[in-house]
Amino acid sequence: MVILITLMLLLSFQALLNAFDTRSFFLAFPHLSRISWLLPTVFGPLIYLLTYYLTTGKKQLQRRDVIHFIPFFVYLLLLLPWYLQAAADKRRLLDDFEAASTNDFGWMNQFSIAWILLYLILALVQLQQYRKTLQSVHTAFNVFQLQWLRRFIYIFLLILVVSGLAFYGRKFGLPLLSDLYHYNYALVVLALYWVAGKCITQPQLFEHCQPVAEPPACEAPVKTLVFGSAGYDDTQGSAARKYAKSGLDDAATDQLTERLLQYMDNEKPYLDPTLTISSLAAALGVSRHHLSQVINARLALSFFDFINSYRIRAVQSQMLAPDARSLSLLGIAYECGFNSKATFNTSFKKFTGMTPSAYLKTQLQQG
């Protein structure tokens, strides 16, 4: 939360400097000049660190995190002579506004744009890696935190694109693009209001992305994360290469596969909504890595899909049972191990090609 607050405060100040980027303003407040050169070097690292700490659960910043702010300290050293000048000396240099404006579009600010872009890409990579990790370990998790974080990064990617166009538009005197320069701060303001609104109405979004399920009541339903979405690729070929050195030969793989399927049919562990690959491996008395190999390479499924396929079949069976008619479809889903309406609906449609209500209606008509 400290990272987010720091980011919001610095972005707000940067937006004000951009909004009042005029000759008269900086002549009146010369000590505020060129601060806008320095601040952008921290925006990208702060967004990346926010993503990293939300997805890893670590509570405190580490000493090694200072490496992300090396350009900030380099810029500070380079700009220190300017910052230490007297106000009168700064006004004398700023009075030539054209020359001062030319300096604003030098290598420092151009590097800052590339620096922010690099860290936004790193943040998206970190988020994607975390999502794939969750999907291979848990059968249900809070997709709303991940959705929010992805939107947060994309919003600032959009702001960077608009700011970059405005920056180069003004640098090269392109009329339509240069007009954006003094107004791109409005996007920052809107983004800050959006984040502030989320902080007030849904503070749980800013906690570590725990593998929990039921979405916040105030959040509109969105598509959950399932196997095969957002670039998750776990084909038999890639899985075979991944586990090539696992030490589990074909005979042992066949044996473990049979044990797993029998255990799923007899013990029904999928009815536990908190089931993870670690707990299932412990119940079978095998390593998590070997169990993952069987599910991914032999059965060609993610753990998420493997467990939810059993839950869907259980729902299909129970929804037509006479003693289950008093339960809602969601109630049946909860009894079969789902703990998220969004995950249930999306998984059901993925495996059957129909929504739960449409499937039930079709089965009743056929019966």
Side-chain angles (χ1 to χ4, degrees):
M1 202 63 170
V2 173
I3 298 176
L4 181 63
I5 292 172
T6 302
L7 176 63
M8 292 178 67
L9 289 174
L10 294 179
L11 281 170
S12 299
F13 189 49
Q14 180 76 6
L16 287 174
L17 292 177
N18 287 346
F20 294 99
D21 186 8
T22 61
R23 179 174 180 274
S24 58
F25 176 80
F26 285 113
L27 286 177
F29 305 99
H31 291 307
L32 293 179
S33 62
R34 299 191 182 179
I35 292 179
S36 61
W37 294 18
L38 181 64
L39 293 183
T41 58
V42 304
F43 295 155
L46 286 174
I47 292 173
Y48 168 75
L49 289 174
L50 175 66
T51 305
Y52 177 79
Y53 281 98
L54 282 177
T55 55
T56 60
K58 296 181 179 180
K59 303 298 182 182
Q60 295 181 342
L61 291 170
Q62 308 295 312
R63 289 184 178 179
R64 66 176 181 270
D65 292 332
V66 73
I67 194 173
H68 301 291
F69 299 97
I70 289 177
F72 171 82
F73 295 112
V74 171
Y75 275 37
L76 183 60
L77 287 174
L78 294 174
L79 293 170
L80 197 58
W82 172 265
Y83 293 147
L84 294 178
Q85 286 190 60
D89 294 332
K90 290 181 179 177
R91 286 191 179 97
R92 186 166 54 255
L93 294 171
L94 292 171
D95 191 53
D96 185 355
F97 191 67
E98 290 300 323
S101 296
T102 301
N103 291 332
D104 285 340
F105 300 96
W107 70 268
M108 283 188 168
N109 286 323
Q110 293 185 64
F111 175 81
S112 294
I113 293 174
W115 186 247
I116 296 173
L117 178 61
L118 170 64
Y119 272 90
L120 288 176
I121 293 173
L122 290 176
L124 287 172
V125 170
Q126 170 65 25
L127 187 60
Q128 178 67 8
Q129 289 177 342
Y130 180 71
R131 180 166 63 175
K132 290 172 66 175
T133 300
L134 272 184
Q135 198 171 53
S136 66
V137 175
H138 295 278
T139 60
F141 44 90
N142 193 337
V143 301
F144 298 95
Q145 288 178 306
L146 302 185
Q147 289 278 0
W148 172 84
L149 198 50
R150 186 172 64 234
R151 290 169 185 168
F152 175 83
I153 298 170
Y154 276 124
I155 284 172
F156 282 98
L157 185 59
L158 172 63
I159 291 172
L160 178 66
V161 170
V162 173
S163 299
L165 291 174
F167 176 89
Y168 285 105
R170 191 170 178 188
K171 176 179 174 63
F172 296 111
L174 305 175
L176 293 178
L177 294 180
S178 60
D179 291 342
L180 295 174
Y181 186 78
H182 289 294
Y183 301 101
N184 64 349
Y185 73 91
L187 291 175
V188 177
V189 173
L190 290 174
L192 293 175
Y193 273 109
W194 177 70
V195 173
K198 292 292 184 182
C199 289
I200 295 171
T201 61
Q202 295 173 265
Q204 67 273 21
L205 292 176
F206 303 90
E207 301 171 356
H208 169 232
C209 296
Q210 297 286 349
V212 295
E214 187 60 20
C218 52
E219 181 74 37
V222 293
K223 184 178 180 181
T224 190
L225 304 179
V226 296
F227 168 72
S229 66
Y232 186 90
D233 181 15
D234 198 19
T235 61
Q236 285 181 302
S238 61
R241 290 189 295 272
K242 177 181 177 182
Y243 299 107
K245 299 181 180 180
S246 73
L248 195 66
D249 58 27
D250 289 342
T253 300
D254 291 340
Q255 185 179 19
L256 181 53
T257 302
E258 184 177 353
R259 283 182 57 203
L260 170 63
L261 297 180
Q262 287 180 352
Y263 185 80
M264 295 297 294
D265 290 333
N266 297 334
E267 302 299 327
K268 298 179 173 55
Y270 53 85
L271 298 180
D272 178 6
T274 64
L275 181 68
T276 66
I277 195 168
S278 297
S279 61
L280 183 58
L284 289 167
V286 299
S287 72
R288 169 181 155 178
H289 184 71
H290 285 167
L291 179 58
S292 178
Q293 177 179 349
V294 166
I295 295 173
N296 296 161
R298 181 54 57 90
L299 301 178
L301 290 169
S302 69
F303 179 71
F304 183 86
D305 265 5
F306 175 68
I307 298 301
N308 284 339
S309 66
Y310 278 89
R311 290 172 176 165
I312 292 300
R313 287 196 290 270
V315 169
Q316 290 174 307
S317 177
Q318 286 198 29
M319 67 168 48
L320 298 175
D323 57 350
R325 296 296 173 86
S326 60
L327 292 174
S328 65
L329 289 176
L330 186 58
I332 295 173
Y334 287 159
E335 286 198 344
C336 294
F338 286 102
N339 57 3
S340 166
K341 180 180 179 181
T343 302
F344 166 57
N345 287 334
T346 307
S347 296
F348 195 96
K349 189 170 184 179
K350 173 183 175 62
F351 285 104
T352 67
M354 305 172 69
T355 64
S357 57
Y359 178 86
L360 177 59
K361 183 178 179 180
T362 301
Q363 294 300 310
L364 291 175
Q365 289 174 346
Q366 292 177 354

